[in-house]
Amino acid sequence: MSGRDLLKLLFFVEINAVGLRKILKKFDKRFGYRFTDYYVKTRANHPYSQLQQVFKHVGLGAVVGAISRNLHELQEHQGSFLSIYDQSVLPLERTLLFDAMKAAVDRLSHSTNFLNFLAQHALIMQEELPTPIEESIDDKRYHFMSLILNLANTFLYMINTYIIVPTADDYSMSLGAPATVCGIVIGSMAVAQVFSSVYFSAWSNRSYFRPLVFSSIALLIGNVMYAMAYDFKSITILLLGRLFCGLGSARAVNRRYISDCVPLKLRMQASAGFVSASALGMACGPALAGLLQTEFKIYKFTFNQNTLPGWVMAVGWFFYMIWLCISFREPFRPTQDTNVAPQTSDGVESRTNENDALEKGLQQPLLPSTEANQDDEDCGSDDESEGSRGPANSLRSAYRLLTPSVKVQLLIYFMLKYAMEILLSESSVVTTYYFGWSTSSVAIFLACLGLTVLPVNIIVGSYISNMFEDRQILLASEIMVCVGILLSFHILVPYTVPQYVCSGLIMFVSAEVLEGVNLSLLSRVMSSRLSQGTYNGGLLSTEAGTLARVVADVTITMAGYLGQKTLLNVTLLPSLVICITSILATCFTYNSLY
């Protein structure tokens, strides 16, 4: 069997696997019961079941391995042939063919593991059956250093977000404001991010370099303003500085670059890198703040634990911008003529045209158009055939693509981000009031919380997700978040460090597990039309999380007017109500969460 015939077979098997999954999903929607589990468990291992042909493809993997081994031997022994006429130079077209076969086998062998789980945590969705032409376009767009720069932007931004958390209350009091104004100081960055996510997502339709440059400039200016507010004795300049930092939030661009410009064979690793960079930045931010415990003055500018986070991040963004201008490469953007193969040679062109015809033939519907349209209408959002399969062009059209189960998952995402923001943002105020912790102690506590992100995802992605369904882990995690919130309340007995640390750890770790499972599930059930365009699934999830942070920080500031004595319980009460609501919503939509 030739490599091209094997590739055709792989596409055929993959189309059947995708088709079978979609049919079973339609049965699940009609029955309101997980029919897929029963069907697969009772038939996949039966000796006469035809599902073996779809799920068991060890033989195909062996053929691909044999072809790759033979091609490797040809490369290594090009000079050891008996005759010059027997010597064969490995053409580029064969190498691309092998890469296409390997990518097809990887997609066919798609399974739940840590890397896949972590990648789905980023909510970077991809097409179920990309063609080799699309993969070659991705190769033209991809530039390794540009990907590193996007991940570095994510890492620095997360540091910038959390580096001020341990000192925000002290900074507010030094400017004559109450300590609880730290909620507004921290949350003002999230307020600006609500708007910046939209225009950065739209900007990335035309360019990736210019949005990243603008992001660096905005963050540089914002951090300088944040640091200079101390000498100007102005809370207004402080808040404006954080607003500028929020306007520079380019996470939508970072996520979009991975989705559009990284080849399929590297997209999972890049998505996992995006999540890891965010987690490390979240841990490094408070840790870095704990190291900046010094005070000195240069000319008229004061450098202390309050202002140094701003100055350090300004320097970091300045050097990042220089690196960006030197190393970033604007990716190739395909035109309408991209599908027309360049005429390199008659043989290659004819084979490419043959492949195009094959792929177009495989993608034709098996039923007449009228029946297909009727089937699409009956099955609702599974195929998204509402006159167009293109991306959503407005928030309203994007909202219409959300099924009830997806709306519940966005509510869950809102809840966990709200609970986490309450815990992190008020940590310095609560621990100072109850335990007299110093800035270094708060920084160590927050850094330790951040360092739990990757180990927790490793355990869930590698072990727990292989033993339980995602919806089971989802519900259990919500209950544990609720338990953590309940244990955090200060009622009657004296509030102790073990109670605060243990309850905070339970809440934070459970929320991290919940976030990973929720986004992993969301990336699989969300409409494919939300995987591209300005109003994509990543933007919707980012907006839900950002709004949660804004509401949480406003809650902290408003609760501060009631006094620090009641701050803890007053801020935990909304978290408990939202958590219970999300648990009830999950129970009502449990059968459709798959």
Side-chain angles (χ1 to χ4, degrees):
M1 178 186 292
S2 68
R4 198 166 296 281
D5 291 335
L6 179 61
L7 185 59
K8 295 177 184 178
L9 179 60
L10 288 170
F11 270 101
F12 177 76
V13 175
E14 188 173 4
I15 287 176
N16 278 275
V18 172
L20 176 64
R21 182 180 60 78
K22 284 184 172 290
I23 291 172
L24 292 175
K25 283 177 64 178
K26 293 174 183 177
F27 271 102
D28 289 346
K29 285 188 176 182
R30 293 291 180 88
F31 293 161
Y33 173 75
R34 184 80 184 225
F35 178 75
T36 300
D37 287 346
Y38 170 78
Y39 184 83
V40 173
K41 287 178 182 177
T42 55
R43 288 166 173 77
N45 295 322
H46 194 277
Y48 303 110
S49 173
Q50 293 185 355
L51 286 182
Q52 297 283 346
Q53 302 174 14
V54 177
F55 294 150
K56 307 296 183 183
H57 45 271
V58 180
L60 294 176
V63 174
V64 173
I67 293 176
S68 65
R69 184 179 64 253
N70 294 335
L71 291 175
H72 184 66
E73 290 178 355
L74 282 176
Q75 285 180 307
E76 286 189 345
H77 302 91
Q78 286 187 13
S80 61
F81 296 95
L82 296 176
S83 169
I84 59 173
Y85 299 104
D86 296 329
Q87 184 172 356
S88 174
V89 178
L90 187 66
L92 177 62
E93 191 246 343
R94 290 185 188 176
T95 304
L96 295 177
L97 177 63
F98 170 67
D99 290 339
M101 288 189 298
K102 189 172 182 295
V105 171
D106 290 341
R107 292 195 303 269
L108 203 56
S109 304
H110 186 69
S111 60
T112 302
N113 53 29
F114 166 61
L115 188 61
N116 176 45
F117 178 82
L118 200 62
Q120 289 176 331
H121 198 148
L123 201 63
I124 298 174
M125 295 176 288
Q126 58 194 32
E127 298 80 4
E128 290 179 327
L129 193 60
T131 64
I133 290 179
E134 292 170 344
E135 292 172 2
S136 65
I137 292 174
D138 284 341
D139 289 332
K140 292 180 182 179
R141 295 179 182 179
Y142 176 62
H143 182 232
F144 175 73
M145 188 54 67
S146 299
L147 173 62
I148 296 299
L149 283 163
N150 273 275
L151 297 181
N153 184 281
T154 299
F155 176 70
L156 285 175
Y157 184 79
M158 293 304 292
I159 292 178
N160 211 145
T161 300
Y162 291 99
I163 193 173
I164 72 159
V165 173
T167 58
D169 56 337
D170 289 337
Y171 204 166
S172 300
M173 289 190 294
S174 68
L175 299 180
T180 51
V181 174
C182 68
I184 293 294
V185 174
I186 297 171
S188 56
M189 191 171 180
V191 172
Q193 189 179 348
V194 172
F195 304 98
S196 65
S197 297
V198 177
Y199 68 73
F200 269 118
S201 183
W203 202 350
S204 61
N205 291 328
R206 302 186 301 274
S207 173
Y208 294 96
F209 175 70
R210 288 191 290 272
L212 291 177
V213 171
F214 176 81
S215 167
S216 304
I217 295 174
L219 283 156
L220 174 61
I221 295 174
N223 281 289
V224 170
M225 293 177 66
Y226 180 85
M228 294 179 65
Y230 186 87
D231 293 303
F232 283 97
K233 301 295 181 182
S234 173
I235 191 71
T236 303
I237 296 178
L238 182 73
L239 294 175
L240 287 176
R242 290 296 288 179
L243 283 172
F244 265 90
C245 290
L247 292 175
S249 172
R251 287 175 63 83
V253 179
N254 307 143
R255 186 184 280 113
R256 183 76 177 274
Y257 183 88
I258 295 174
S259 177
D260 292 350
C261 303
V262 177
L264 179 65
K265 57 188 177 183
L266 299 175
R267 197 169 299 164
M268 187 179 294
Q269 292 91 326
S271 301
F274 176 84
V275 176
S276 301
S278 300
L280 290 175
M282 182 179 180
C284 290
L288 185 59
L291 297 176
L292 301 177
Q293 301 299 306
T294 185
E295 185 170 358
F296 57 94
K297 201 163 186 177
I298 299 178
Y299 189 51
K300 294 183 180 180
F301 300 110
T302 304
F303 297 84
N304 55 26
Q305 65 173 8
N306 296 327
T307 62
L308 276 173
W311 291 118
V312 169
M313 292 311 304
V315 172
W317 285 111
F318 176 76
F319 283 108
Y320 172 81
M321 185 167 54
I322 295 176
W323 181 22
L324 180 72
C325 295
I326 295 174
S327 303
F328 190 86
R329 188 176 73 189
E330 190 71 57
F332 166 79
R333 291 187 176 272
T335 60
Q336 294 180 350
D337 299 331
T338 301
N339 291 335
V340 180
Q343 189 173 357
T344 54
S345 65
D346 295 338
V348 174
E349 182 182 7
S350 62
R351 284 191 292 269
T352 304
N353 292 334
E354 179 185 351
N355 281 345
D356 294 344
L358 169 68
E359 292 160 15
K360 291 178 181 178
L362 289 176
Q363 294 173 357
Q364 293 299 318
L366 298 178
L367 298 175
S369 59
T370 55
E371 296 180 23
N373 290 338
Q374 180 65 34
D375 182 64
D376 288 338
E377 291 175 3
D378 291 343
C379 297
S381 62
D382 184 43
D383 295 319
E384 284 83 37
S385 295
E386 298 180 3
S388 173
R389 293 179 181 269
N393 53 15
S394 66
L395 284 175
R396 180 180 178 183
S397 59
Y399 181 80
R400 292 176 60 188
L401 294 173
L402 302 182
T403 61
S405 59
V406 174
K407 293 176 183 177
V408 170
Q409 287 173 280
L410 290 176
L411 171 64
I412 294 171
Y413 192 65
F414 178 93
M415 178 273 294
L416 67 92
K417 286 295 184 182
Y418 182 92
M420 290 173 65
E421 189 70 12
I422 289 290
L423 172 65
L424 299 176
S425 295
E426 71 177 12
S427 58
S428 58
V429 180
V430 171
T431 55
T432 300
Y433 177 77
Y434 285 104
F435 318 125
W437 280 9
S438 63
T439 300
S440 299
S441 300
V442 178
I444 293 173
F445 172 69
L446 295 178
C448 290
L449 288 181
L451 289 174
T452 63
V453 174
L454 288 181
V456 166
N457 280 290
I458 291 174
I459 295 173
V460 176
S462 300
Y463 302 104
I464 297 179
S465 62
N466 293 329
M467 295 186 290
F468 302 97
E469 293 182 10
D470 282 350
R471 57 181 179 176
Q472 294 174 330
I473 304 174
L474 188 80
L475 185 58
S477 301
E478 288 182 86
I479 295 174
M480 289 305 299
V481 171
C482 188
V483 170
I485 295 173
L486 287 172
L487 293 176
S488 299
F489 278 93
H490 177 208
I491 302 175
L492 300 178
V493 297
Y495 205 56
T496 62
V497 173
Q499 179 185 355
Y500 177 77
V501 172
C502 292
S503 60
L505 189 63
I506 292 173
M507 185 196 308
F508 188 85
V509 170
S510 302
E512 279 298 324
V513 174
L514 181 59
E515 181 177 4
V517 175
N518 188 56
L519 291 182
S520 175
L521 190 60
L522 192 60
S523 66
R524 295 198 300 270
V525 302
M526 190 172 281
S527 167
S528 59
R529 290 177 60 189
L530 294 175
S531 64
Q532 52 186 330
T534 300
Y535 303 95
N536 52 66
L539 175 64
L540 294 179
S541 63
T542 300
E543 291 294 289
T546 304
L547 285 173
R549 292 174 54 202
V550 171
V551 175
D553 292 323
V554 171
T555 302
I556 293 172
T557 301
M558 293 180 64
Y561 289 104
L562 301 177
Q564 293 189 19
K565 183 179 180 179
T566 59
L567 175 67
L568 181 66
N569 290 344
V570 171
T571 53
L572 286 175
L573 189 59
S575 299
L576 181 63
V577 173
I578 299 173
C579 186
I580 293 175
T581 303
S582 68
I583 293 174
L584 294 176
T586 303
C587 293
F588 279 113
T589 59
Y590 186 77
N591 289 331
S592 62
L593 293 175
Y594 53 85

